[in-house]
Amino acid sequence: MAVTRMSSGQQNPRNRDKSVRGLDLEELGKTIQLLYDAFYTVDSIGGSLSPFVPTQEYIVDYVVLLVETFLETVERLRKSPAVFYEPGCGTATITSRVASLGRYAICLELDPDLARMARDNTRSLLVDVVQGDLSVFRPRRASVAYAYLLPRAVLRLLEALEGLGTIVLSLDYPAEGDKGQLALTELRVMHRGIYVYKT
């Protein structure tokens, strides 16, 4: 797995031609910004904190490996079984993969149809699927959380988990208002950023 830490001025050689495995990164960035602008407006008038956009298949293996590494580290340090938490889990793609490694996981989803699909996809695994809002739901324990959410939702997640000591991995988006003071670090996986927080 190619996981490196890069400063903002450092260029990844894979990005020189602005495409990775057929992806036009500039176009992807514009699309993400359009989505962010649209859903920022929806949120400001009282709507969803983050749209359902599944973690892209080409990066799932890397995310699962990174999550598992953090879970193992937490277990060694705390000498107790680690709990995985995925707010906004959608159909539970990441949760089901992590749970298939023998982990207990909590999968939170606001949309009832997606929550139902998440239950179907994790039926034989050690997973509790909860239908609820990430800004008010607070698990009793959450060792490591993975989120693919917009910045405002990431901030709400950090607030909801405050004091639990949870390691939060946020794909692509830092918490809203984070100018570098909140995140412990930013990891680079392929051309994607993963912001690491501790609540």
Side-chain angles (χ1 to χ4, degrees):
M1 177 174 91
V3 176
T4 58
R5 184 176 180 193
M6 296 174 62
S7 66
S8 57
Q10 191 175 5
Q11 185 179 14
N12 185 334
R14 294 180 190 214
N15 290 350
R16 284 190 186 131
D17 66 349
K18 292 189 177 180
S19 67
V20 176
R21 294 190 186 187
L23 287 175
D24 183 327
L25 299 183
E26 194 171 317
E27 196 57 40
L28 179 63
K30 289 177 185 174
T31 303
I32 289 171
Q33 186 60 48
L34 283 171
L35 279 171
Y36 177 73
D37 292 343
F39 284 93
Y40 182 85
T41 304
V42 169
D43 182 43
S44 67
I45 59 171
S48 173
L49 275 173
S50 207
F52 171 58
V53 179
T55 301
Q56 293 81 5
E57 190 58 42
Y58 75 89
I59 199 170
V60 167
D61 288 341
Y62 296 105
V63 168
V64 171
L65 185 55
L66 196 56
V67 164
E68 180 61 18
T69 301
F70 273 95
L71 287 166
E72 287 174 357
T73 302
V74 167
E75 283 185 337
R76 278 199 307 272
L77 291 173
R78 299 181 187 170
K79 297 180 173 39
S80 63
V83 175
F84 175 65
Y85 173 48
E86 185 181 8
C89 65
T91 59
T93 301
I94 299 293
T95 295
S96 62
R97 291 282 301 278
V98 172
S100 71
L101 299 172
R103 298 286 181 188
Y104 169 66
I106 301 166
C107 181
L108 180 72
E109 177 53 53
L110 182 62
D111 182 273
D113 294 327
L114 291 173
R116 193 167 22 261
M117 285 189 269
R119 282 188 196 93
D120 291 343
N121 292 337
T122 58
R123 193 171 305 281
S124 62
L125 300 168
L126 250 152
V127 176
D128 282 321
V129 177
V130 178
Q131 185 185 337
D133 186 327
L134 68 86
S135 48
V136 294
F137 177 75
R138 182 179 166 94
R140 284 181 295 183
R141 281 185 60 212
S143 311
V144 177
Y146 165 73
Y148 186 32
L149 304 167
L150 292 176
R152 183 171 291 186
V154 175
L155 179 61
R156 299 270 177 89
L157 172 64
L158 296 177
E159 291 168 350
L161 295 175
E162 190 174 355
L164 288 182
T166 307
I167 301 296
V168 177
L169 308 175
S170 176
L171 179 63
D172 289 344
Y173 299 107
E176 184 177 73
D178 184 0
K179 304 287 191 250
Q181 304 90 348
L182 294 175
L184 296 174
T185 191
E186 179 188 357
L187 304 173
R188 302 299 297 181
V189 179
M190 298 174 72
H191 62 284
R192 310 286 288 274
I194 297 183
Y195 298 86
V196 182
Y197 296 91
K198 185 167 188 282
T199 64

